[in-house]
Amino acid sequence: MKTTIQDLAGASVCNGNFECLYIAFGSKPCGGPWSYLVYSTSIDTLKLTNLVDTYNQLEKMLNSECGRISDCAFVVPPQRLECKNNTCIAIY
């Protein structure tokens, strides 16, 4: 499922017609996402959002059921997004 999500987001392109966006991806055992996934509106964003929501919920459930642990470092979202060579880039 993770690969499907990453492939979908990776297929997106940006230019003057498409907006770059990001979404919290994954669920750390301490709370919060593992990372932020960058994509553009050139793809089916509703499909991506639904897949990511399901993935995040499943990972959260697995964390709880399996007693997983992680660092509790806060992962900051991108400060802004830029379009370079038709690819959305996160700027931190």
Side-chain angles (χ1 to χ4, degrees):
M1 185 175 205
K2 183 176 185 179
T3 301
T4 300
I5 291 167
Q6 290 171 325
D7 288 349
L8 179 57
S12 69
V13 296
C14 61
N15 57 38
N17 297 321
F18 303 110
E19 181 183 2
C20 292
L21 303 169
Y22 65 87
I23 189 169
F25 188 45
S27 179
K28 282 185 153 188
C30 285
W34 283 103
S35 64
Y36 288 89
L37 189 62
V38 177
Y39 63 98
S40 82
T41 55
S42 69
I43 59 170
D44 184 343
T45 57
L46 181 59
K47 178 180 179 180
L48 180 68
T49 301
N50 288 337
L51 284 169
V52 169
D53 287 345
T54 300
Y55 178 84
N56 291 352
Q57 290 172 8
L58 288 171
E59 189 168 46
K60 184 176 181 177
M61 185 175 63
L62 273 174
N63 291 341
S64 177
E65 289 178 3
C66 296
R68 292 179 174 173
I69 58 171
S70 70
D71 66 21
C72 293
F74 177 73
V75 178
V76 296
Q79 290 181 352
R80 69 181 193 280
L81 302 172
E82 292 183 2
C83 181
K84 295 208 181 203
N85 300 322
N86 293 329
T87 303
C88 294
I89 306 291
I91 306 298
Y92 291 93

